[in-house]
């Protein structure tokens, strides 16, 4: 027979770990090599000698040699880049799959030692952990890596949650609030979780996908470089352009890593290197340095401060959704190798432990607690699968814990496969059946059996599948245990949550807005239904899904042209435990289903392109003011600072940050051009026109004196400004319309006696019409359509239609108006104005074409 | 009846721990995934934020009914079941009158499931 | 042997039965609420009047009990009873089918009144809140949540309407109407929460905006695509419907006039009289209501010109001179400087002057010319130099009267 227990895997930036929960639930086993080392380096390289991949420690040992290892691949997950590995190029998923495959192999070998020979041990299922703050593309890439490694990925669990699960399991903490501070090699996560009677509630998560121990190392490597330059070495490194420079810098990064590790236990470290590498002139770089802890800590202080800001945000969110503040936190848990840095521990003690109920941070198993927690969760999700390896083909999953404190155990099982004719399943010991359940179909669905337990700590029992005959059709032995049950979540808990809002772009009061469909913190799996409405008759419905501001999928549904505005558009979005997203849209009898293969991040590559992006970002900032401007600058400043630093030290991080910056710039560029309609300047212009009419009249008009008029205009102006500042589209339109109405009423006095066809007035109107038409045409020709293919086509077709309409209905008749008698000219102009209004309105709506409206 | 306190028969004065324990039992006994999802949602509503728990408690009818009295002592063995009639339960003339001569707007006491149940139990005992 | 415990059980059963009967009477057959709602009947039964109503209800006459659960005032009722009443009406309001508009509105208003009354029962609410959340919430927040029932009801009312806002259905109509009647509900309460009325106004505004959003979208799409036509009219008709739901909201009147003005001008330019006539017929109630307001409230004079123009369009479409003149005169009362109004009025007066003379018997032409002169003089003062005025003056002169 075979047994298959799912494992928990922490796929880390620097190191990875794998663990499994013993079915007795007394032991959590983590893989360790013959030297007791529990971590496996996340490194892959090409071995020219065997023409195969080396993974883990053997790969890391090739640092600094030809065909050096690919490391920190986790930082590239979700990007479309590939990396060279010997003669091959591999995607980040493939490199990660190699690491996962190796972990599986090592664990299997480990478990086989001492296992009975007649039982085949299978490791086919896993829960893989991911940083809490991973985006959908990064999650998707991780799941794919698991599948490429031949694993059934039961779920992706966020690392801090895994750590909390481990600590509550280990220390039997059934209740309490945890703050998990997880500083790994490449990512920082913070989660606030509550454990309630063994059930988990993830209250908040935050973090930075591009901040970890690697950044400490690169930051200090740059310091080291500057020290060496000051000693005369030629080390003006161009890491993006020159692979040799990149290699030199990498050597400094490794040195910085050593310094970091030494300073974790000592106050001063002495570094002496002989011909460590050669500089750009070919001279051997040899040096001696004395580095004190304060110098190191000063260099990384702002990075540590960034982690604390993430913690503040997470706590703020926890306060919002659960009323939980820092003072309510019972345990602060430290996770990740980088939390060994003394400056980090100090900051956590000072800023997090002191104001909370936690005396000191829990710091057990910082390297392995994530894998251990994942193993507990994997056991909860996957249970224990037993099966026969012969032709009987019986497979049964035991889905509930096999241990109970009381004298009976409620066992949930599912018969997944069974010999022909199976009618019942029975749990029996040597003296006979203990519990039985009828089977009407296979797979059976979940069956519940209540089994009496004796007093012995371990009881050998067997699962028997029975047909109509005198003998069981299949027998699968296993054990039940009597003892303490550790806190463990039931199906009430949803430990994996959506890290960032999943949203859709919609129209609201004429403006494009992001509408959250699945809010961050929502437990997985989740399925949501939303109803939207068509807002135009373009013949297409555009559903643009985003995670935060990252576009993850655009669905375009074609509908019959002329489909009524306001036709319901039903969108169903589902997301499973491993963040696999599916969307179903239904509109006007058309249905579209799409699996959301998250778009990969595309970022400018060259240094020049990055410089242009940074300049562009500054430029957009200058056009924004008020609330929008502040929001933009708040995000822009840290991002551009990190990007400028990463350009010189970390090309992979620079690419990711550049992609993020690009999205920020795009969003706010739109915001600056697309605000409310009509634009502010037209409102201001209107108020000026009213003022002029009032002053021309000498002040007294329509029963009001000058002061009353001024007061009235000011009131309108204030209302308009407030609506504008708060982006209140409805109020803005109302105020604008009132101003327009007031202008018309005020102007009546001047117009009261003007002749209908005053030639001078008509000539002015004609000239204005000509200017307006040509402005409209250039606006239409200059229009920049959307970057998304399907949407671009729609917009271009509409733009072309408008240009044709402008020519046919406006420009041509205007050209023929020369010398027209006044009456006819007036009538023509009266007809052309509404046409141009119409084209202008359609032009303003071009960027919104196909978008759905929200009620 | 969408208020989770009323729907699942929970006492608003019980704390989150007791609520969790009860909801876990309910989730374990749930017949389908949909039902389990509803229970989970209710559990989150009741335990995630105390503000929401308080709101839901305010949206549940306060229990202003008088306490249920003690149930009658079991009848002595040996007495014939046939001898038990509704009259045994309705010694008060006004109540007997209520059963005999008057009808309630929609349901008569004779059809009241609790009374029938009491009568049946009496008949058996 | 009948024991006090048996009596207690019997009363409890009766109260449950009465609660269900009451529910059936008020809820159009929706599934009954929690059995704990029978506490409402129990509390009512504590008073003489309530005991009588329960007696009668047990005899099959439920109406007195129905009257008791719909008090004209919440002043002086015990807090748990007010709490039950709030929940009862709230539940009834939620379950009533939308076509039972009158009853649904009444239930929402009763619930609102009861929640507003309960808000001032701080001792009762504090006791309850402490028992539920102890110190898991800061005392101030705990108290705030406890008194917030009425506000939550308003939010729910808005939310329900927003779900159906696209359809402009009965649910929307009920919500809009209840919002308009909030003062009526608060009048049943001694000291309603201070900001509740303004909150209701704010939510109502928001709801009206949201309800109008689909109308606006349909209209904008129509305006961006074609000349004024059926789609435009349908959208304006929808706007007028919402306007009726809101018990004549001023902003909606302005909206209708704002949107209709350019349409009417375009139809006028293309001489599409029948479409212009239909446009006028569609929006006339809202235009007339706004005209009436502008005439009454000097603060609204910004709209004088637009409303006057809509009346001028109408005047031009009418078929009898008297009604035309009457309408355009209304326009000039609103905006006496309105150029088009003055022009059309002058033209119509001149026409009347001509007709006075043309239709008068020969022996009475002089008197007719004198009357016509009044018209032409006014016409000249309104808009000088019209061809028809000139013709009328000539006709007057022909009768030997100084024009």
């Amino acid at each position: 027979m075979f047994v298959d227990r799912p494992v928990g895997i922490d796929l880390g930036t620097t190191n990875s770990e794998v663990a499994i929960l013993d079915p007795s639930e007394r032991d959590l086993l983590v893989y360790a090599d013959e030297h007791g080392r529990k971590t496996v380096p996340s490194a892959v390289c090409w071995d020219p000698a065997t023409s195969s991949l080396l993974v883990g420690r053997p790969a890391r040992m090739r640092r600094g040699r030809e065909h050096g290892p690919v490391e920190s691949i986790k930082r590239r997950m979700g990007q479309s880049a590939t990396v060279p590995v010997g003669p091959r190029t591999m995607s980040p998923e493939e490199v990660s799959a190699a690491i996962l495959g190796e972990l599986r192999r090592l664990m299997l070998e480990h478990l086989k030692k001492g296992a009975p020979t007649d039982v085949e041990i299978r490791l086919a299922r896993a829960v893989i952990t991911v940083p809490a703050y991973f985006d959908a593309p990064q999650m998707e890439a991780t799941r794919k890596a698991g599948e490429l490694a031949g694993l059934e990925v039961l779920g992706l669990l966020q690392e801090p949650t895994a750590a909390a699960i481990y600590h509550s399991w280990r220390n039997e903490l059934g209740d309490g609030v945890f703050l998990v501070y997880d500083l790994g090699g490449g990512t920082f996560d913070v989660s606030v979780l509550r454990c309630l009677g063994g059930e988990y509630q993830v209250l908040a998560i935050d973090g930075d996908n591009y901040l970890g121990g690697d950044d400490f190392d690169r930051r200090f490597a740059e310091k080291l470089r500057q020290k060496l330059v000051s000693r005369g070495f030629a080390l003006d490194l161009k890491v993006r352009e020159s692979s040799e420079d990149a290699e030199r810098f990498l050597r400094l990064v490794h040195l910085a890593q050593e310094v970091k590790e030494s300073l974790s236990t000592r106050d001063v470290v002495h570094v002496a290197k002989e011909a460590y590498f050669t500089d750009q002139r070919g001279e051997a770089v040899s040096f001696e340095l004395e580095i004190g802890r304060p110098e190191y800590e000063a260099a990384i202080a702002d990075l540590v401060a960034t982690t604390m800001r993430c913690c503040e945000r997470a706590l703020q969110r926890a306060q919002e959704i659960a009323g939980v503040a820092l003072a309510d936190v019972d345990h602060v848990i430290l996770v990740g190798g980088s939390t060994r840095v003394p400056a980090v521990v100090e900051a956590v003690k000072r800023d997090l432990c002191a104001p909370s109920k936690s005396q000191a941070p829990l710091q057990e198993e910082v390297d392995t607690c994530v894998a251990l927690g994942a193993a507990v969760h994997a056991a909860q999700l996957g249970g224990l699968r037993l099966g026969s390896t012969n032709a009987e083909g019986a497979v049964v999953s035991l889905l509930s814990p096999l241990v109970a404190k009381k004298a009976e155990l409620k066992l949930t099982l599912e018969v997944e496969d069974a010999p022909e004719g199976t009618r019942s399943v029975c749990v029996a010991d040597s003296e006979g059946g203990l519990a039985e359940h009828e089977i009407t179909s296979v797979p059976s669905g979940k069956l519940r059996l209540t089994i009496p337990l004796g007093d012995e700590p371990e009881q050998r029992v067997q699962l028997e599948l029975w047909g109509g005959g005198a003998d069981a059709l299949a027998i699968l032995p296993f054990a039940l245990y009597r003892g303490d049950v550790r806190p463990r979540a039931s199906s009430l808990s949803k430990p994996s949550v959506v890290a960032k809002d999943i949203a859709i772009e919609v129209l609201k009061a004429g403006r494009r807005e992001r509408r959250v469909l699945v809010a961050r913190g929502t437990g997985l799996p989740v399925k949501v239904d939303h109803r939207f409405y068509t807002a135009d008759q373009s013949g297409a419905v555009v559903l643009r899904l985003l995670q935060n501001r990252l576009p993850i999928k655009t669905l375009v549904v074609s509908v019959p042209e002329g489909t009524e505005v306001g036709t319901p558009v039903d969108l169903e979005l589902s997301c499973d435990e491993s963040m696999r997203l599916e969307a179903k849209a239904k509109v006007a009898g058309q249905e579209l289903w799409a699996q959301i293969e998250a778009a990969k991040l595309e970022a400018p590559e060259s240094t020049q392109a990055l410089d242009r992006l940074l300049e562009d970002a500054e430029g957009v900032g200058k056009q924004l003011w008020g609330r929008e401007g502040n929001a933009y600058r708040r995000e822009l400043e840290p991002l551009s600072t990190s990007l400028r630093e990463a350009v010189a030290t970390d090309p992979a991080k620079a690419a990711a940050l550049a992609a993020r910056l690009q999205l920020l710039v795009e969003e706010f560029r739109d915001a600056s051009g697309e605000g409310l309609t009509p634009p502010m300047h037209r409102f201001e212009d209107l108020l000026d026109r009213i003022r002029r009419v009032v002053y021309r009249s000498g002040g007294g008009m329509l029963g009001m004196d000058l002061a009353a008029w001024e007061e009235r205009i000011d009131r309108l102006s204030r209302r308009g400004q407030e609506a504008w500042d708060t982006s209140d589209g409805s109020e803005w339109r109302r105020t604008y319309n009132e101003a327009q109405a007031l202008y018309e009423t005020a102007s009546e006095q001047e117009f009261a006696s003007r002749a209908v066809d005053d030639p001078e007035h008509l000539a002015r109107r004609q000239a204005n019409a000509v200017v307006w038409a040509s402005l409209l045409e250039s606006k239409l020709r200059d229009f920049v359509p959307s970057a998304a293919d399907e949407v671009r086509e729609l917009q271009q077709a509409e733009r072309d239609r408008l240009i044709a309409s402008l020519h046919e209905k406006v420009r041509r008749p205007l050209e023929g108006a020369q010398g027209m008698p006044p009456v006819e000219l007036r009538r023509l102009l009266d007809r052309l104005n509404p046409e141009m209004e119409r084209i202008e309105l359609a032009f303003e709506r071009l960027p919104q074409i196909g978008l759905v409206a929200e009620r | 009846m969408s208020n989770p306190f009323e729907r699942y028969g929970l006492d608003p004065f019980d704390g989150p721990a007791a609520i969790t324990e009860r909801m876990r039992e309910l989730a374990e006994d749930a017949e389908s995934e949909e039902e389990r999802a509803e229970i989970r949602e209710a559990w989150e509503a009741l335990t995630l934020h105390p503000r929401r728990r308080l709101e839901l408690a305010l949206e549940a009818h306060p229990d202003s009914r008088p306490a249920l009295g003690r149930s009658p002592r079991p009848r002595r063995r040996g007495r014939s079941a046939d001898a038990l009639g509704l009259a045994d339960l309705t010694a008060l003339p006004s109540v007997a009158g209520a059963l005999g001569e008057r009808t309630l707007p929609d349901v008569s006491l004779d059809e009241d499931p609790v009374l029938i149940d009491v009568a049946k139990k009496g008949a058996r005992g | 042997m009948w024991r006090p415990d048996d009596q207690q059980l019997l009363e409890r059963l009766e109260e449950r039965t009465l609660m269900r009967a009451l529910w059936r009477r008020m809820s159009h057959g929706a599934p009954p609420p929690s059995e704990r709602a029978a506490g409402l009947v129990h509390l009512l039964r504590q008073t003489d009047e309530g005991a009588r109503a329960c007696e009668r209800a047990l005899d099959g006459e439920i109406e007195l009990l129905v009257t008791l659960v719909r008090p004209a005032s919440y002043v002086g009722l015990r807090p748990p009873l007010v709490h039950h009443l709030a929940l009862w009406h709230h539940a009834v309001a939620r379950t009533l089918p939308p076509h039972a508009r009158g009853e649904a509105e009444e239930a929402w208003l009763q619930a609102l009144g009861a929640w507003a009354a309960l808000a001032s029962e701080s001792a009762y609410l504090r006791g309850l809140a402490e028992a539920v959340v102890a110190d898991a919430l800061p005392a101030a927040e705990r108290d705030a949540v406890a008194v917030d029932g009425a506000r939550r009801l308003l939010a729910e009312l808005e939310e329900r309407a927003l779900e159906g806002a696209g359809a402009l259905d009965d649910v929307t109509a009920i919500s809009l109407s209840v919002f308009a009647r909030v003062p009526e509900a608060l009048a049943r309460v001694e000291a309603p929460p201070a900001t509740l009325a303004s909150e209701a106004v704010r939510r109502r505004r928001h709801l009206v905006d949201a309800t109008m959003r689909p109308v606006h979208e349909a209209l904008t799409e129509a305006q961006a695509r074609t000349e004024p036509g059926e789609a435009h009219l349908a959208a304006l008709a929808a706007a007028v419907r919402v306007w009726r739901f809101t018990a004549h909201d001023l902003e909606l009147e302005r909206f209708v006039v704002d949107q209709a003005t350019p349409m009417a001008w375009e139809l006028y330019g293309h001489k599409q009289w029948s479409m212009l006539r239909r446009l006028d017929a569609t929006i006339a109630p809202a235009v007339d209501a706004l005209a009436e307001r502008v005439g009454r409230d000097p603060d609204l004079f910004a709209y004088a010109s637009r409303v006057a123009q809509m009346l001028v369009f109408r005047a031009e479409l009418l078929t009898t001179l008297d009604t035309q003149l009457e309408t355009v005169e209304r326009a000039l009362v609103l905006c006496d400087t309105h150029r088009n109004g003055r022009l059309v009025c002058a033209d119509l007066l001149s026409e009347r002057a001509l007709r006075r003379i043309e239709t008068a018997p020969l022996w009475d032409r002089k008197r007719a010319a004198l009357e016509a002169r009044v018209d032409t003089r006014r016409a000249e003062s309104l808009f000088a130099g019209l061809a028809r005025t000139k013709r009328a003056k000539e006709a007057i002169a022909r009768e030997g009267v100084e024009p």
Side-chain angles (χ1 to χ4, degrees), chain A residues 44 46 53 70 73 80-95:
Chain A
V44 174
W46 183 252
L53 292 177
V70 173
I73 195 66
S80 49
T82 54
V83 288
V85 183
R88 303 164 55 178
T89 51
M90 291 172 79
S91 67
E93 290 96 314
E94 288 169 328
V95 175

Side-chain angles (χ1 to χ4, degrees), chain A residues 680-794:
Chain A
M680 182 50 126
H681 69 85
R682 270 171 65 185
F683 178 65
E684 284 167 346
D685 181 46
L686 195 51
L687 295 184
D688 281 344
R689 276 154 61 198
I690 301 173
R691 282 190 192 99
R692 283 201 296 275
V693 173
V694 172
Y695 294 138
R696 277 202 298 270
S697 77
M701 198 166 74
L702 299 164
M704 292 202 299
D705 63 11
L706 189 59
W709 271 102
E710 275 173 356
E711 209 274 315
R712 190 159 190 122
I713 296 167
D714 284 349
R715 210 163 57 205
L716 263 180
S717 168
R718 280 194 303 274
R719 251 178 70 194
Q721 192 64 54
E722 202 184 320
W724 182 269
D725 289 346
T726 54
S727 296
D728 183 344
S730 305
E731 180 61 12
W732 171 247
R733 236 174 347 224
R734 264 198 294 275
T735 314
Y736 184 88
N737 282 336
E738 186 170 336
Q740 180 85 41
L742 183 61
Y743 171 68
E744 286 165 17
T745 299
S747 311
E748 289 295 350
Q749 189 159 305
E750 288 193 339
F751 278 94
S753 52
R754 179 183 284 160
V756 179
D757 296 324
D758 174 16
E760 210 176 296
H761 180 61
L762 281 176
R764 250 199 326 272
R765 277 185 66 189
Q766 186 181 5
N768 285 344
V770 171
V771 173
W772 186 6
S774 83
L775 271 177
L776 256 180
E777 177 150 0
S778 38
K779 275 205 277 192
L780 282 164
R781 295 204 183 277
D782 293 346
F783 174 73
V784 183
S786 160
D789 290 347
E790 311 87 333
V791 183
R792 185 171 50 238
E793 278 171 31
L794 279 172

Side-chain angles (χ1 to χ4, degrees), chain B residues 20-35:
Chain B
T20 299
E21 206 178 313
R22 175 78 188 118
M23 296 302 266
R24 188 179 3 222
E25 284 169 12
L26 288 169
E28 277 168 10
D29 293 340
E31 296 285 327
S32 65
E33 266 315 305
E34 287 74 31
E35 192 186 339

Side-chain angles (χ1 to χ4, degrees), chain A residues 409-469:
Chain A
L409 181 141
K410 283 184 179 170
L411 181 67
T412 305
L413 59 85
E414 179 169 7
V415 179
E416 293 173 17
D417 202 355
E420 189 79 33
T422 299
R423 288 188 196 165
S424 66
V425 58
C426 169
V427 175
D429 64 6
S430 53
E431 288 168 29
L434 298 166
E436 189 173 7
H437 204 294
E438 194 188 344
I439 294 176
T440 49
S441 63
V442 176
S444 65
K446 285 179 184 165
L447 308 175
R448 310 272 311 264
L449 273 72
T450 304
I451 303 165
L453 291 183
D455 291 331
E456 332 65 276
E458 180 175 335
Q459 294 165 43
R460 307 299 303 175
V461 291
Q462 59 192 27
L463 255 169
E464 298 168 354
L465 296 178
W466 288 85

